[in-house]
Amino acid sequence: MPLRSVRIAMALMLASVCALPQVSPAAEDTSGQQAFNNACRTCHMVREGDNRLGPNLHKVVGRKAGSMPDYGFSSAMKEAGFVWDEERLDRFIANPDEVVPGNSMKPYGGLSSSEERKKIIGFLAQSR
């Protein structure tokens, strides 16, 4: 292959890589909030002290399950005996009954999309 053809091929490859859409951190934040709004906001807020049907999720990562004052958790959640981390949140959002049998999340049955769960967990982790 002549050198000129190699250069043209390389230029086209580099141009195509540069043309790929880039996701900015702001767009990722927005997509996490959007995923949270779509799946969680009916019952939960992330504003500290703003409990609704479900407890607020402000600083949920690192919090002991069922321990936030001023919210009436189910006995199952109060007795869960773990601290929320990203892995446990992922499993819980996917299938709450598997992680904490007897929780009060009905009628929510879980979110199957691992990509949407990842966005939600990223969004919740920012509320530290």
Side-chain angles (χ1 to χ4, degrees), residues 4 15 21 24 28 30-31 35 45 49 52 55 57 71 73 85 91-92 96 100 106-107 112 115 123 128:
R4 178 174 163 83
S24 71
E28 287 179 8
T30 303
S31 70
M45 297 298 286
R52 303 285 170 107
L57 300 177
Y71 186 79
F73 289 98
D85 60 19
R91 289 181 34 232
F92 187 78
V100 182
K106 302 293 184 249
S112 61
E115 187 61 35
F123 175 70
R128 291 180 174 184

Side-chain angles (χ1 to χ4, degrees), residues 13-81:
M13 275 188 357
L14 290 173
S16 66
V17 169
C18 293
L20 291 174
Q22 301 296 312
V23 178
S24 71
E28 287 179 8
D29 292 348
T30 303
S31 70
Q33 183 171 6
Q34 185 65 47
F36 175 85
N37 290 348
N38 291 341
C40 312
R41 195 176 74 177
T42 299
C43 300
H44 296 280
M45 297 298 286
V46 291
R47 202 169 328 130
E48 185 174 14
D50 192 357
N51 297 321
R52 303 285 170 107
L53 184 57
N56 79 74
L57 300 177
H58 179 74
K59 296 186 178 182
V60 68
V61 177
R63 181 192 307 159
K64 184 177 186 279
S67 69
M68 188 177 61
D70 303 324
Y71 186 79
F73 289 98
S74 66
S75 57
M77 191 61 75
K78 287 178 188 175
E79 297 166 6

